Amino acid sequence: MSSTAHDRYGVESSYAWTRLAAALALMTIGGAGMYGVTVALPLVQAEFGVARSAASLPYTLTMIGFGIGGVVLGRVGDRFGVIVPVLIGAVGLGAGFIAAGTARSLLEFSLAQGLLIGALGTAATFAPLVADISHWFARRRGIAVAIVISGNYLAGTIWPLVMQHFFDSAGWRSTYIGIGIFGLLAMLPLTLLLRRQLPAHASPAAAPGPSHADVQRPLGLSPGALQSLLCVAGVGCCVAMSMPQVHIVAYCGDLGYPAARGAEMLSLMLGCGIISRLTFGLISDRIGGLRTLLLGTTLQAIALLMFLPFSKLAILYGVSALFGLFQGGIVPAYAIIVREYFSPREAGQRVGTVLMATLFGMAFGGWISGVIFDLTGSYHAAFLHGIGWNLLTTAIAAFLLLRDRRERRGLSPVPG
């Protein structure tokens, strides 16, 4: 292949940016599976006559499926190229929404959400796409990863408003079926833009190693130990993150506000999250993934605390916006950390594993917040519970950053 072709289709080429745009669109469509169930939570609870904790179960199963599917499909993408998991995702998402829309019981609805929408549909448009885009950018990797992973929040900005409108006018079942058909028709053509393989000279096998670490002992730890710490941190930050994201619609209803106000707050929260992710992407290119993680999780704790003393509608809009601005950069930081401290050949699997932990955190947090609500009759204790998990993530990020500084000092040349 000529050097001109390399330039046209190589790392950070015009094609790489086109591929990034296609990945962003796919993640935005796939994210419908994650946010639809949160907006439908009060309707599902009423439809099947169950408690708040039981109505939270479909979301929990969706996030568990999302996480496990991300690891499995990430490995598939490492081996066969990202187009294979994305094609699986298009079919899974479409079939899942249609199956959920025709479910006759909470069990059927939950299985459709967890297996088809979560494990096959939404999972295929998250970790595999993040890992794939990380190979197509080097100097601008931070902002590229931030852009593609913003599709998850762009979905959260668009879909709650669209779904709430159609839930009110056509019912949640017809809306689910319509989204399934739309997802299938829209995703299949977009996958064609991902069919080109990464150039051999820029493949993961030929890519340079991590910029800050020996892959055998990253930060002086075994790769398994570092990955485990990142997974625990991912669970902690997302248990905290899930409290407002999953329950804001129900929380507003408990305060006496219409469900539409809660959907607007969720949309505002995630819209501000897009700004946050892009901003933190630029920041991570300058300060690295660990410092970005520590900054984001510290700011998220501050935002969570601000939910506790306020119940007025205008103030809740402001706190929701602030929460989005503060926490949007946390999850992309994990992908950057993986690329900084692990072998690029393992990007799909390791990114998928850490992101799976964040999704398990969202799943557990969404469910346990409903349980705490059922036990206490309010969300006050649930917010405090999330803050506690957030502090665990902050402590892990600080610990790893201290080890990073120690390693850098150890690797610094001794003055002559």
Side-chain angles (χ1 to χ4, degrees):
M1 185 179 291
S2 67
S3 60
T4 302
H6 277 316
D7 292 339
R8 182 179 178 185
Y9 295 108
V11 173
E12 300 199 19
S13 63
S14 58
Y15 170 74
W17 289 99
T18 301
R19 191 181 184 97
L20 175 60
L24 175 64
L26 284 164
M27 190 176 290
T28 302
I29 297 170
M34 178 177 174
Y35 296 107
V37 68
T38 65
V39 180
L41 191 154
L43 298 175
V44 169
Q45 181 180 6
E47 174 88 12
F48 299 114
V50 295
R52 183 70 52 84
S53 57
S56 300
L57 181 63
Y59 175 83
T60 299
L61 293 179
T62 300
M63 301 308 289
I64 291 174
F66 190 176
I68 295 174
V71 176
V72 175
L73 294 174
R75 295 188 68 176
V76 171
D78 283 341
R79 184 170 182 180
F80 300 108
V82 75
I83 191 171
V84 176
V86 174
L87 284 172
I88 294 172
V91 176
L93 190 79
F97 266 102
I98 293 171
T102 57
R104 294 166 296 178
S105 67
L106 181 63
L107 177 61
E108 289 184 12
F109 181 82
S110 299
L111 290 175
Q113 282 282 162
L115 296 178
L116 294 175
I117 294 177
L120 296 181
T122 306
T125 63
F126 197 62
L129 290 175
V130 173
D132 177 72
I133 288 301
S134 76
H135 293 309
W136 286 89
F137 292 85
R139 191 163 48 90
R140 298 184 179 90
R141 180 176 293 149
I143 187 61
V145 168
I147 289 172
V148 69
I149 212 168
S150 292
N152 182 256
Y153 274 9
L154 185 58
T157 304
I158 296 171
W159 286 112
L161 297 178
V162 171
M163 289 178 176
Q164 189 64 56
H165 171 75
F166 284 104
F167 285 172
D168 292 340
S169 61
W172 71 269
R173 290 184 178 276
S174 297
T175 302
Y176 256 66
I177 294 171
I179 292 172
I181 296 171
F182 167 79
L184 186 63
L185 295 178
M187 290 176 68
L188 289 176
L190 286 169
T191 60
L192 297 178
L193 294 173
L194 307 179
R195 66 186 185 277
R196 182 173 293 275
Q197 296 291 318
L198 193 67
H201 71 283
S203 69
S211 55
H212 302 310
D214 178 357
V215 295
Q216 300 301 319
R217 298 290 298 175
L219 298 177
L221 303 168
S222 69
L226 178 57
Q227 175 121 36
S228 296
L229 283 173
L230 292 175
C231 288
V232 173
V235 170
C237 72
C238 288
V239 169
M241 193 183 298
S242 69
M243 176 52 239
Q245 286 193 14
V246 177
H247 290 272
I248 191 67
V249 176
Y251 180 52
C252 286
D254 294 338
L255 293 175
Y257 302 121
R261 303 292 81 77
E264 290 168 359
M265 287 181 200
L266 179 61
S267 180
L268 176 63
M269 186 186 300
L270 299 173
C272 289
I274 297 173
I275 299 172
S276 175
R277 287 194 163 171
L278 297 178
T279 302
F280 275 95
L282 293 171
I283 291 172
S284 68
D285 279 335
R286 292 180 174 271
I287 68 174
L290 281 176
R291 290 175 177 81
T292 303
L293 176 62
L294 180 60
L295 176 62
T297 190
T298 301
L299 292 175
Q300 178 174 264
I302 294 172
L304 282 170
L305 282 168
M306 295 182 67
F307 274 103
L308 293 174
F310 303 114
S311 60
K312 291 187 179 297
L313 188 62
I315 298 178
L316 286 174
Y317 276 110
V319 176
S320 296
L322 200 61
F323 182 82
L325 290 172
F326 281 178
Q327 56 80 42
I330 295 176
V331 173
Y334 291 111
I336 301 302
I337 293 168
V338 168
R339 290 308 314 274
E340 288 175 339
Y341 294 99
F342 293 98
S343 168
R345 299 183 186 186
E346 304 170 345
Q349 179 180 346
R350 290 201 181 273
V351 169
T353 300
V354 177
L355 294 183
M356 177 183 69
T358 67
L359 296 170
F360 279 6
M362 294 292 289
F364 174 70
W367 172 76
I368 197 65
S369 295
V371 171
I372 293 172
F373 175 87
D374 287 340
L375 292 174
T376 65
S378 78
Y379 280 117
H380 187 86
F383 275 113
L384 292 175
H385 173 263
I387 291 168
W389 280 93
N390 194 107
L391 294 176
L392 173 62
T393 300
T394 304
I396 292 174
F399 168 74
L400 293 177
L401 186 55
L402 287 174
R403 293 192 69 92
D404 178 73
R405 290 177 176 176
R406 185 182 304 167
E407 288 290 307
R408 287 172 184 268
R409 285 198 300 268
L411 294 174
S412 298
V414 177

